[in-house]
Amino acid sequence: TAFLILYPVFWLFYGGFHYGEEGFSAAFQRFWELPGLGKAFRNTLIVIAGTVPVSFLIAMPLVWITSRTDTPLKGVIEVAAVMPFITPPLIGAVAWSMLAAPRSGLLNVLARQLGADGPIVNIYSMPGLIFVMGLYLSPYVFLTVKAVMDRMDSSLEEASRIAGAGTWRTIRHVVIPLSMPGILSAAILVFTRALEEFAIPGILGTPSGIYTITTYIFYQAISYTPPRYEIAAMLATFIMAVTGFGLALQARILGGKQQFTTVAGKGQQPRPMRLGKWRYATLAYALVYIFLAVILPYAVLIYAAFIDRWGNAPVPAHLTLHNFAETFSPDLNVQSGFRNSLILAVSGATIASILALLVSYVIVKRPNWFGQALEFITIIPMTMPGPVLAVAMLWAYLNPPLVLYGTLWILLFAYVTHYIPYGVRTITGSFRQVSAEFERAAAVCGATPTRGFTDIMLPLVRSGVLAGWMLMFVSMIRELSASIFLFVPGTETISVSLVEMWQEARFTSVAVLSLSVVAVSLTVIVIVRYFFGGSSVRAGQ
């Protein structure tokens, strides 16, 4: 684990500060003279400055609706609020491009048919990019803040009302201040995610020349002829530093300060606020969100996958299955992309789960200096967004002694390195729930530490391992931000194939492929839960 993480990190810093005969000051000066770099920095700042408030404007009303009101269909709203989290950002960007591209977007096509002179909406713009980014990052706000709201002692709100404060004053002076750790944590999380996002700016920003730092690294460094790996390394080091600062600030905020304590031994569960006729207004807001985040994007993907000609009415006479046959034709690289993605996702999730299982055991059950050092090492990939990790992998595995570039091995190493922290945190939580008495009892009965681990501990944490495996599998099968930097012909993944088809304007094939990715992910999750989920529950009992 230490080698997988530290070896690329070493090469990343080496590539960022090694310039041969050219000194650092001269190289740094030349770095800032790169064409379009300043604009890419400005675009990144604008995207982040717009995405953070938009994601809060979308998610915070949903948090309040599901946590504090008697709005109908709260269960449906809560599920819909996390649907953009399940949907890969690449597929969301593709769906909205199909909907609102200035020329070919379905909404603009229908508007022209109804008499409009030009496009009524242009998703290939900064506002469009910020809207889609905010829409697909809003679940991070929803999940983080709602967790705080659900645990808050409602007696504090009751005391505010008894003191004469109305609903909005209570929200402003009690609920929001006490939720501040979750709000600030969500803001930092959205900030770091917006900084590292590649798929949405790549699909929606590139057509109009809006480059962010991540897309600039790809188009102006990695894909440049000849590749400028030293530029990519310097930019990647900058992103890693900013992301690391954000995560460190998040950890400090969540460090547990007493002034934010809202859960006590005599706390009360929150009681739904009766809105009367206004509950239909909150329901309308939630339905608009569901329409924009779930129904509309998936509807246009289904339409594009089955329609015989773009713009035709979705009636039986215009529906066809030819798009599926064309998409998976042997003439295209979709089949190899699917095969590569499945191999990488299954093997990568399995290897990462095994490593995470052993690392988590050491961290929780052996809390000495070695466990603490190992825990720190596993945090490092969380500061390395996909493009940063890809640049580190290029520097590490383009050079002897391990030359892996051009093979699936470099992608497998990248996937395992990138996602092992998520497995460690999932499995660590399961280990912390298991009392040390089990191991002591096994030792008293004469079991060796190895047998105590395999016969006692492993069955008890199997559900956590399964959850970590599924999380990493879904993340790996849709992974793009590292794959787009590391693939060569023959090692493309399904996400890379999707981007290539998009660039070739194969819109129907893109829709078919997008739906196929979601279907495969859900199918594998159902199969794994069916065959292993029951045994995990029984083992836990």
Side-chain angles (χ1 to χ4, degrees), residues 70-406:
D70 61 345
T71 302
L73 303 177
K74 286 200 298 184
V76 176
I77 297 170
E78 191 166 345
V79 172
V82 298
M83 275 299 293
F85 181 77
I86 300 173
T87 304
L90 172 63
I91 294 178
V94 165
W96 274 99
S97 183
M98 290 181 173
L99 280 167
R103 292 186 179 180
S104 60
L106 189 60
L107 296 178
N108 291 318
V109 170
L110 294 176
R112 284 194 293 269
Q113 292 177 352
L114 295 175
D117 295 332
I120 59 174
V121 61
N122 180 13
I123 205 68
Y124 295 153
S125 61
M126 184 62 76
L129 174 59
I130 290 173
F131 167 75
V132 176
M133 190 89 81
L135 190 67
Y136 284 90
L137 295 184
S138 62
Y140 292 95
V141 179
F142 179 84
L143 293 171
T144 304
V145 180
K146 189 175 188 305
V148 176
M149 292 277 287
D150 287 343
R151 293 194 304 265
M152 190 179 299
D153 186 356
S154 64
S155 63
L156 302 170
E157 299 168 58
E158 295 293 337
S160 175
R161 295 190 185 96
I162 292 173
T167 299
W168 297 112
R169 192 174 180 185
T170 299
I171 293 174
R172 179 182 175 186
H173 293 289
V174 177
V175 176
I176 291 180
L178 291 175
S179 302
M180 195 54 64
I183 292 174
L184 293 177
S185 177
I188 295 171
L189 191 57
V190 172
F191 170 83
T192 56
R193 289 292 303 167
L195 176 66
E196 70 180 60
E197 182 59 47
F198 177 85
I200 296 177
I203 296 293
L204 302 181
T206 304
S208 56
I210 302 175
Y211 291 95
T212 60
I213 292 299
T214 53
T215 55
Y216 188 90
I217 292 175
F218 179 72
Y219 290 107
Q220 300 297 326
I222 302 299
S223 296
Y224 196 83
T225 304
R228 299 188 283 196
Y229 293 119
E230 71 282 357
I231 301 301
M234 186 174 287
L235 286 170
T237 304
F238 167 78
I239 296 177
M240 182 178 177
V242 175
T243 306
F245 174 77
L247 292 175
L249 186 59
Q250 180 188 27
R252 184 175 180 84
I253 291 172
L254 296 179
K257 294 186 178 181
Q258 292 299 318
Q259 62 263 34
F260 294 113
T261 300
T262 62
V263 181
K266 298 181 180 180
Q268 301 177 13
Q269 290 294 324
R271 288 181 293 179
M273 184 183 301
R274 297 188 178 277
L275 299 178
K277 63 181 180 179
W278 288 103
R279 63 186 184 143
Y280 297 107
T282 56
L283 177 61
Y285 174 84
L287 292 178
V288 169
Y289 169 82
I290 294 173
F291 179 75
L292 293 176
V294 181
I295 297 176
L296 200 56
Y298 277 99
V300 72
L301 289 175
I302 294 172
Y303 168 83
F306 289 95
I307 204 69
D308 59 353
R309 184 175 178 274
W310 188 256
N312 284 343
V315 296
H318 294 155
L319 302 181
T320 180
L321 294 176
H322 175 71
N323 297 332
F324 286 83
E326 182 181 4
T327 300
F328 292 97
S329 170
D331 298 333
L332 303 177
N333 60 5
V334 173
Q335 294 183 17
S336 64
F338 247 119
R339 182 176 62 253
N340 292 337
S341 288
L342 284 173
I343 292 173
L344 291 169
V346 173
S347 59
T350 303
I351 294 171
S353 295
I354 294 172
L355 291 175
L357 175 66
L358 300 175
V359 168
S360 300
Y361 179 80
V362 173
I363 291 174
V364 176
K365 300 302 181 181
R366 302 291 184 268
N368 50 24
W369 68 268
F370 181 75
Q372 294 172 356
L374 196 56
E375 184 175 16
F376 174 78
I377 290 173
T378 58
I379 293 174
I380 294 175
M382 299 188 72
T383 68
M384 301 175 68
V388 175
L389 181 68
V391 174
M393 289 286 171
L394 284 171
W395 272 97
Y397 299 116
L398 271 172
N399 299 285
L402 291 176
V403 181
L404 302 179
Y405 183 70

